């Protein structure tokens, strides 16, 4: 066996496991004082992401400190817009901000199709993380889904509705497809470079799936996610996580991916019926569960495993950890899952 612990890869491939594997979205982040200490050594978030030594350090922290079954490379989904020509900033307490956004055909014509060379700092961070992990656990690579990336590139910041991005779909659908195609090609190049550098599995984050209706979701999001799955799944296990996309589960079940991530609004048994038995499910605890007393966390962890079953399942939250979660509660939740 290549890894001391490869349980997550076996679960993704649908092989037998002796216990349920677990990692947490946003595990490399602000719930760890150790993360904050490393982050303070960089000038700002973008510089932090671009520093392979620091990025590798925080990638490994959750494996050492929390005992998760996989590391996820510390980076951000917004490195793709930057590599394509739209740089971003991360504004404290506010979130992402883009000086330039996509509005017209000339903006989209000007976008470059990125590849691994444009993101050499992430590739370097992956190589360093692999060295530091020393085959203890696998490393997860990731990218945003084209729709979510497009949404940020049009909107220029976070938004509750992403109404500017949706307006674009209604007013200039052909142009939206051109942009989505360029983002998709860039993402495929980028993910292949991550795998070549050592990423053992890949997750696609469609954080803003839930603002689209079912038909638009198929046309403007799943169509492109499917292209990424077709290119990547022959080489590594692929997970698709689409937040608030319960309406799309049946369509996601036919993607060529190994794992589907679900949020806490979806009942595990319903998800299994819709998705069938050919895929692994991942999720789906409410991140707010980790504010509860330990006895409640334990009870809910037990219910979650009973509902999903031990095989073809990877435990996780239904979205990223909230920054004000206490580290000992996060550790407690992970230990519960591993002991059940
Ligand atoms: O999961 C991990 O631990 C790996 C690292 C990771 C980050 N961002 C680091 C980060 C991953 C996988 C992401 C993905 C990401 N980034 C998504 C998809 C997942 C999701 O949450 O829906 C999205 C939408 C983004 C864009 C983004 N990055 C936003 C909206 C924000 C600000 C708000 C927030 O969630 O903090 C970020 C900043 C960011 N990315 C932080 C981290 C650790 C916090 C920055 C800090 O240190 O202050």
């Amino acid at each position: 066996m290549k890894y001391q612990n490869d349980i997550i890869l076996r679960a993704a491939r649908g092989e037998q496991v002796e216990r349920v594997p677990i990692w947490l979205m946003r595990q490399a982040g602000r719930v760890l004082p150790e993360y904050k200490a490393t982050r303070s050594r960089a000038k700002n978030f973008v510089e932090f992401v671009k520093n392979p030594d620091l990025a590798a350090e925080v990638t490994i922290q959750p494996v050492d400190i929390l005992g998760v079954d996989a590391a996820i490379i510390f980076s951000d989904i917004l490195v793709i817009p930057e590599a394509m020509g739209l740089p971003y900033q991360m504004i404290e307490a506010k979130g992402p901000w883009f000086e330039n956004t996509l509005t017209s055909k000339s903006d989209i014509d000007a976008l470059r199709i990125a590849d691994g060379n444009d993101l050499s700092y992430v590739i370097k961070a992956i190589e360093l993380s692999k060295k530091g992990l020393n085959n203890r656990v696998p490393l997860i690579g990731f990218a945003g889904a084209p729709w979510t990336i497009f949404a940020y590139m049009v909107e220029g910041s976070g938004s509750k509705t992403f109404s500017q991005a949706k307006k674009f779909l209604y007013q200039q659908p052909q142009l939206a497809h051109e942009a989505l195609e360029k983002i998709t090609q860039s993402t495929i190049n980028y993910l292949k470079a991550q795998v070549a550098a050592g990423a053992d599995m890949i997750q696609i984050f469609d954080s803003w799936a839930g603002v689209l209706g079912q038909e638009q979701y198929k046309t403007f999001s799943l169509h492109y996610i499917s292209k990424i799955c077709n290119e990547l799944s022959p080489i590594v296990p692929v997970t698709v996580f689409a937040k608030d996309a319960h309406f799309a589960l049946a369509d996601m079940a036919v993607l060529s991916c190994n794992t589907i991530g679900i949020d806490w609004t979806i009942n595990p048994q319903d998800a299994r019926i819709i998705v069938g038995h050919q895929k692994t499910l991942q999720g789906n605890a409410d991140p707010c569960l980790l504010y509860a007393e330990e006895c409640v966390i334990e009870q809910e962890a037990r219910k979650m495993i009973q509902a999903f079953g031990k095989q073809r399942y990877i435990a996780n939250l239904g979205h990223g950890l909230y920054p004000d979660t206490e580290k000992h509660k996060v550790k407690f939740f992970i230990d519960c899952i591993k002991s059940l």
Side-chain angles (χ1 to χ4, degrees):
M1 185 169 78
K2 189 172 156 201
Y3 294 100
Q4 274 171 40
N5 169 359
D6 71 345
I7 196 165
I8 199 164
L9 289 174
R10 283 186 278 133
R13 294 192 209 106
E15 296 166 14
Q16 281 285 313
V17 291
E18 53 287 358
R19 66 163 173 86
V20 169
I22 179 164
W23 72 281
L24 301 180
M25 291 187 272
R26 294 297 179 92
Q27 65 187 21
R30 295 170 295 185
V31 301
L32 297 179
E34 294 84 352
Y35 168 89
K36 287 179 213 162
T38 311
R39 190 197 197 288
S40 68
R41 281 155 55 199
K43 203 168 84 212
N44 54 48
F45 182 79
V46 176
E47 293 304 312
F48 184 20
V49 166
K50 286 187 177 170
N51 183 319
D53 292 300
L54 298 184
E57 200 172 296
V58 295
T59 297
I60 298 167
Q61 280 170 357
V63 176
D64 292 334
I65 300 164
L66 299 172
V68 284
D69 293 307
I72 177 162
I73 185 66
F74 177 76
S75 185
D76 203 89
I77 61 169
L78 302 176
V79 300
I80 278 284
E82 175 169 276
M84 296 180 72
L86 293 192
Y88 70 104
Q89 289 173 43
M90 198 60 76
I91 298 175
E92 206 60 50
K94 278 194 124 170
W97 189 78
F98 290 83
E99 189 174 335
N100 304 307
T101 56
L102 301 181
T103 55
S104 64
K105 176 152 173 55
S106 62
D107 297 334
I108 288 161
D109 288 342
L111 289 177
R112 335 186 22 255
I113 294 186
D115 61 28
N117 295 323
D118 300 301
L119 290 150
S120 55
Y121 57 90
V122 184
I123 301 309
K124 182 87 189 135
I126 290 177
E127 288 164 0
L128 291 174
S129 300
K130 290 291 286 185
K131 266 197 202 124
L133 286 169
N134 194 22
N135 291 334
R136 278 179 291 162
V137 292
L139 178 68
I140 304 171
F142 72 91
W147 155 250
T148 287
I149 296 300
F150 172 83
Y152 280 108
M153 289 169 95
V154 173
E155 204 83 28
S157 67
S159 159
K160 281 207 174 92
T161 55
F162 279 89
S163 56
Q164 295 306 309
K166 290 178 69 180
K167 181 177 168 185
F168 204 120
L169 302 186
Y170 282 108
Q171 292 189 339
Q172 309 184 80
Q174 260 339 96
L175 212 48
H177 279 299
E178 280 174 38
L180 286 161
E181 187 60 46
K182 282 186 153 180
I183 297 167
T184 302
Q185 290 314 317
S186 303
T187 304
I188 290 169
N189 293 339
Y190 176 45
L191 289 174
K192 283 187 174 171
Q194 290 189 33
V195 174
D200 300 282
M201 52 200 293
I202 289 293
Q203 176 155 319
I204 299 164
F205 288 88
D206 207 355
S207 305
W208 297 105
V211 299
L212 298 180
Q214 185 178 31
E215 209 183 305
Q216 271 193 331
Y217 190 64
K218 271 173 98 158
T219 310
F220 293 103
S221 189
L222 278 181
H223 175 70
Y224 297 98
I225 289 177
S226 153
K227 291 191 185 202
I228 299 172
C229 289
N230 292 345
E231 293 279 338
L232 269 298
S233 67
I235 44 178
V236 280
V238 175
T239 301
V240 179
F241 168 67
K243 175 82 183 14
D244 294 322
H246 41 85
F247 57 84
L249 265 185
D251 295 318
M252 290 169 72
V254 299
L255 288 172
S256 94
C257 66
N258 301 68
T259 304
I260 293 180
I262 60 174
D263 65 54
W264 60 93
T265 65
I266 307 172
N267 173 293
Q269 286 102 338
D270 291 347
R272 182 51 81 198
I273 290 169
I274 298 169
V275 168
H277 293 273
Q278 299 309 311
K279 289 202 189 325
T280 297
L281 292 173
Q282 174 178 280
N284 76 339
D286 182 348
C288 292
L289 167 66
L290 303 185
Y291 296 134
E293 300 287 333
E294 290 189 350
C295 57
V296 178
I297 296 177
E298 185 173 359
Q299 191 187 325
E300 293 299 316
R302 195 178 292 278
K303 271 204 264 178
M304 191 168 87
I305 292 191
Q306 268 161 6
F308 279 100
K310 274 195 189 172
Q311 305 300 327
R312 287 230 90 142
Y313 173 50
I314 297 170
N316 203 316
L317 302 173
H319 201 192
L321 278 163
Y322 295 134
D324 62 344
T325 313
E326 292 173 276
K327 173 178 154 182
H328 76 270
K329 295 272 180 76
V330 179
K331 178 98 174 73
F332 180 81
F333 177 64
I334 291 167
D335 288 342
C336 276
I337 299 286
K338 286 166 74 176
S339 67
L340 282 169

